[in-house]
Amino acid sequence: MIDAAGNFSGFRPLSAPVGLLSEHFSVYVYDRRGRGASGDAPAYTVEKEVGDLAALVDAAGGSAYLYGMSSGCLLAMHAVAAGLPVPKIALFEPPLSFDPDPAFTAAVRDVLTSQGRRATVEFFNRAIGVPDELIAGLPPEAWSVGHTLVYDCLLLETASPELLGAVDVPVLVIDSTGSAGPLADMAALAAAHLPRATRRTLPGEWHGVAGEVLAPALRAYLLGDPD
């Protein structure tokens, strides 16, 4: 399970239905680089995050399905493109534009340097379209990983048709009925450019689907069973 931007063990609003999936799978959830209990390095690279994931897949037995949430989808696709032993992946509302904006990354860095992690979390979330009421309700735990939003920006810059074209495994692209607009458009874009993609829209809210709905869909896809 690969977390979205800003999510980690201390604050995981966009979470996977781990309990429901654990009835059928061994499920591994971890803090991505620089978050929670995980360490970091002076200079972030996508390759280092893929290496983190490679170590986890090895620890899980040498092969694993991946479920990415939001920016975690990009890491899942990089893992497959890098040749990790991953037979299938599922992606929930991957952020895509195919139009990298280094200026946004620079702006996030500037806010982090000048105003700190809390302001960075608020700036980033507002910029990507998170509703104001959700931003206002963020707890202090969310601010602790504000610096890692720069990492997610760098991941966003890597989204390209070439990356998606290199993902030559079955992919389930999921979006929510409550995410009409840009998020739905990005799911459609992903499904159109991934060579072996299936898209499925599930009933849900903005950028979220209840575990009771999501888990059966993931189980059916990963195990090849009708749901």
Side-chain angles (χ1 to χ4, degrees):
M1 300 298 172
I2 308 175
D3 274 327
N7 282 231
F8 72 111
S9 56
F11 177 67
R12 190 169 273 135
L14 187 55
S15 60
V18 174
L20 294 171
L21 290 170
S22 294
E23 299 175 11
H24 306 276
F25 306 93
S26 297
V27 183
Y28 293 78
V29 184
Y30 72 106
D31 285 342
R32 285 175 55 189
R33 177 172 291 257
R35 311 182 192 195
S38 290
D40 207 348
Y44 173 85
T45 66
V46 173
E47 290 75 18
K48 288 177 181 177
E49 270 227 274
V50 171
D52 297 340
L53 193 52
L56 287 166
V57 171
D58 185 63
S63 177
Y65 301 126
L66 300 179
Y67 171 56
M69 293 158 280
S70 197
S71 73
C73 298
L74 302 175
L75 186 54
M77 290 190 286
H78 272 287
V80 173
L84 269 64
V86 175
K88 290 183 179 181
I89 62 174
L91 309 176
F92 180 76
E93 297 188 348
L96 292 174
S97 70
F98 296 160
D99 184 20
D101 186 8
F104 179 60
T105 304
V108 174
R109 286 187 190 274
D110 288 345
V111 173
L112 179 64
T113 301
S114 62
Q115 301 180 52
R117 295 185 181 186
R118 176 176 180 175
T120 304
V121 171
E122 293 173 347
F123 174 83
F124 178 91
N125 280 283
R126 191 167 289 112
I128 66 171
V130 175
D132 286 341
E133 61 270 20
L134 296 182
I135 297 173
L138 290 173
E141 291 83 1
W143 310 332
S144 68
V145 294
H147 62 296
T148 66
L149 297 176
V150 175
Y151 306 167
D152 289 287
C153 289
L154 294 170
L155 263 175
L156 289 169
E157 290 184 17
T158 68
S160 67
E162 292 75 20
L163 172 64
L164 273 65
V167 181
D168 192 22
V169 300
V171 182
L172 177 63
V173 180
I174 303 169
D175 62 312
S176 167
T177 55
S179 296
L183 289 172
D185 292 343
M186 288 188 284
L189 186 65
H193 283 80
L194 288 159
R196 300 170 65 184
T198 300
R199 180 183 173 193
R200 186 165 182 186
T201 301
L202 298 175
E205 300 180 352
W206 185 86
H207 210 30
V209 172
E212 293 77 12
V213 176
L214 181 58
L218 289 173
R219 182 186 68 239
Y221 162 68
L222 294 173
L223 297 181
D225 296 332
D227 61 344

